[in-house]
Amino acid sequence: MTYTILLIGVLLFLGQVFSFLFEKTRLPDVLPLMLLGMLLGPVFHLAGPEDFGGAGQIFTTVALIVVLFKSGVDFRILSLRGAVGQGLLLTTVCFAVITLTTAFITQRVLNIPQLYAFIIGAIVADNSTAVITPMLAKLQVSKTAKTVLFLEANLTGVYSIVLALALLSAASHGGQVSAAEISLRVVKSFGLGIVFALAAGVFWMGILNKVRRLENAISLTFAFVLLVYSVSGLIGGDGAIATLAFGVVAGNTRLVRRLWLSKFDLSHLLSLNHGEKAFFDEVEFILKTLFFVYMGICMRIGRVDLLAIGFAVAFFKLVFRAPVVNYCVSKTVSRGDASVILAMCPNGLVSAVLAAMIASQLPEEGAVIQDVIYAVIFFSVLLSNLMSFRIEKGGLKWLGKAMFGRHKPDEVPAPPEQTSAPEPTPGEAAPVPEQDNPPQEFPAPGNPPQV
């Protein structure tokens, strides 16, 4: 037990170090954390998934709850107003293309049911905001490109969660009922979860001012999020969707007040303050650090075929993303910015948690799906990091010319102008050029020169 506590402390400390290096060097902290987990697990066999027992499942569920709630809080509905054009178009079309192509590839290669292949596609189509943001900070791109990327990362997270959970719910009843009944159950569970979450969100945001007067009040919001997830499942709703919807309400209370203020008195609704958001950021950091190490421990690196499939899926995600970026992003965006938009598609914590959830609910093919998605996460982060590094150093110009010919060329900075001496005006003496050697000084008359 002492060594376990020591290991957790060391991992959290290393997680902070890797996060700091991520901000300074642009090396994503996901990679060293996963590599550390591989060393602890499949390489030196110091730990294995069986060592965690039921705690591994509880840890995965709590991580899923926090990720869902944070995704909802960070999703700003009002931000869609300025990006209904190319940002929303790129997000929707790219998500659909990546989902379909990934499902087609994995179904043929893994020989799994089509429904399971679409689950993989829905998870792979997600982009991680946590990985994209620090990499973008090192690149000089236009404000339009940054807005499009942030909108895409936030929306794809919601798309991926909703579609993957809907398909997973359908897969859990696959061989027992008809397709119509499956659809009815999914709609019912989602509907109950969303309605319950909306009511719970309005209730909690309404009493939040009174809750803050209590001691240790910040942790009560976290406790209420756990209640929303569990109670929604008990009443027949989908706990994951309820948690996501509750986060959306908590992050968009201003919009809720604006929509319903004429019918109900919702002026007392509050938003999460800085301290509460910082608390959830810390919880997410702890879970992210431990979970990516847990991912590395769970990876079966002996299955080289699954690693190769994960690399191929990550590579083809970039390949099929290129034409979508070319035609869905305005041609006024430069080729360099389009190349950055192409590169910024790594998977992250949302994909990892969904993969672990699938592995627990689909015991037969779930382990294979989890290994493939874990490999996709590793290689997608690696490829995105390498491409952003080359773009930062001025490389990959050929990629912009080949893939984004309809976009405007990158602006080449003009060379500095050489200033020349002004010509003398008529009647003005020309300036005397400076002499390299200073004039010799002669001694004054009557003073002999000193030897």
Side-chain angles (χ1 to χ4, degrees):
M1 177 63 69
T2 303
Y3 290 106
T4 303
I5 300 300
L6 175 63
L7 177 62
I8 293 175
V10 171
L11 290 178
L12 292 178
F13 179 79
L14 290 177
Q16 189 65 49
V17 172
F18 294 150
S19 179
F20 175 78
L21 293 177
F22 189 8
E23 296 176 358
K24 298 297 181 181
T25 65
R26 205 195 52 256
L27 175 66
D29 53 351
V30 175
L31 299 180
L33 290 174
M34 291 183 66
L35 289 174
L36 185 59
M38 294 178 195
L39 293 176
L40 293 174
V43 176
F44 295 111
H45 302 286
L46 299 176
E50 63 279 357
D51 297 333
F52 296 90
Q57 178 62 30
I58 296 175
F59 174 64
T60 301
T61 304
V62 173
L64 175 68
I65 293 172
V66 173
V67 168
L68 291 171
F69 179 72
K70 280 280 296 173
S71 299
V73 171
D74 295 337
F75 180 67
R76 295 288 186 267
I77 298 178
L78 292 177
S79 65
L80 299 179
R81 294 182 304 175
V84 175
Q86 54 182 337
L88 188 58
L89 178 64
L90 173 68
T91 303
T92 306
V93 175
C94 194
F95 185 87
V97 170
I98 299 301
T99 301
L100 293 174
T101 53
T102 303
F104 177 82
I105 294 173
T106 52
Q107 184 184 11
R108 298 298 187 276
V109 177
L110 296 175
N111 194 22
I112 58 177
Q114 188 179 44
L115 188 59
Y116 293 177
F118 274 102
I119 293 177
I120 297 177
I123 296 176
V124 170
D126 174 50
N127 297 334
S128 174
T129 308
V131 180
I132 290 174
T133 303
M135 286 197 289
L136 268 183
K138 298 289 183 179
L139 299 172
Q140 294 186 358
V141 295
S142 64
K143 184 178 179 180
T144 301
K146 287 185 178 181
T147 303
V148 168
L149 282 171
F150 285 132
L151 174 68
E152 183 190 19
N154 289 323
L155 274 180
T156 53
V158 177
Y159 286 177
S160 181
I161 291 169
V162 173
L163 183 57
L165 292 178
L167 295 175
L168 181 61
S169 179
S172 61
H173 305 90
Q176 304 174 7
V177 292
S178 63
E181 191 172 351
I182 290 175
S183 302
L184 182 61
R185 288 185 180 182
V186 171
V187 172
K188 178 183 176 182
S189 63
F190 275 35
L192 281 175
I194 292 174
V195 171
F196 174 73
L198 291 176
V202 172
F203 167 75
W204 188 254
M205 294 299 108
I207 67 171
L208 191 57
N209 190 33
K210 297 180 180 179
V211 171
R212 288 172 178 166
R213 301 172 186 172
L214 302 176
E215 189 176 359
N216 302 321
I218 293 181
S219 60
L220 289 179
T221 301
F222 178 59
F224 193 78
V225 173
L226 299 179
L227 289 176
V228 169
Y229 178 88
S230 55
V231 173
S232 176
L234 292 176
I235 64 175
D238 190 281
I241 293 298
T243 306
L244 178 66
F246 178 68
V248 172
V249 174
N252 296 271
T253 53
R254 186 176 65 175
L255 178 62
V256 174
R257 289 197 301 264
R258 183 183 303 176
L259 292 177
W260 292 347
L261 191 58
S262 59
K263 299 180 181 180
F264 306 97
D265 183 16
L266 300 179
S267 58
H268 59 288
L269 292 185
L270 300 178
S271 302
L272 297 179
N273 58 29
H274 177 72
E276 291 159 346
K277 292 180 180 179
F279 171 79
F280 279 97
D281 289 338
E282 292 292 334
V283 173
E284 185 183 34
F285 169 77
I286 294 174
L287 293 176
K288 179 192 73 172
T289 301
L290 299 178
F291 193 83
F292 279 123
V293 176
Y294 179 71
M295 275 179 56
I297 294 175
C298 295
M299 287 187 68
R300 296 180 294 177
I301 60 177
R303 292 292 304 272
V304 182
D305 56 335
L306 298 181
L307 293 177
I309 293 173
F311 175 79
V313 170
F315 176 77
F316 281 111
K317 180 181 181 179
L318 288 168
V319 172
F320 291 114
R321 179 178 170 84
V324 179
V325 173
N326 186 31
Y327 290 103
C328 290
V329 177
S330 173
K331 60 183 179 181
T332 58
V333 175
S334 67
R335 295 173 183 174
D337 286 352
S339 300
V340 173
I341 296 175
L342 169 64
M344 294 294 107
C345 59
N347 295 86
L349 187 59
V350 172
S351 302
V353 174
L354 289 175
M357 184 178 181
I358 289 170
S360 63
Q361 297 193 19
L362 301 177
E364 295 182 2
E365 292 88 354
V368 175
I369 295 175
Q370 177 182 255
D371 288 339
V372 171
I373 294 177
Y374 283 177
V376 171
I377 295 171
F378 182 85
F379 289 116
S380 67
V381 173
L382 183 61
L383 290 175
S384 293
N385 187 60
L386 291 176
M387 288 185 66
S388 65
F389 177 77
R390 290 293 300 144
I391 293 172
E392 179 187 357
K393 298 301 181 182
L396 299 182
K397 297 292 185 182
W398 60 270
L399 182 65
K401 295 180 181 179
M403 296 289 186
F404 310 113
R406 65 186 292 268
H407 290 257
K408 68 177 184 179
D410 298 328
E411 296 181 359
V412 180
E417 297 181 357
Q418 297 181 354
T419 58
S420 57
E423 297 182 359
T425 57
E428 182 181 357
V432 179
E434 296 183 359
Q435 300 178 0
D436 295 335
N437 298 324
Q440 298 181 357
E441 295 183 0
F442 296 95
N447 293 333
Q450 298 181 0
V451 179

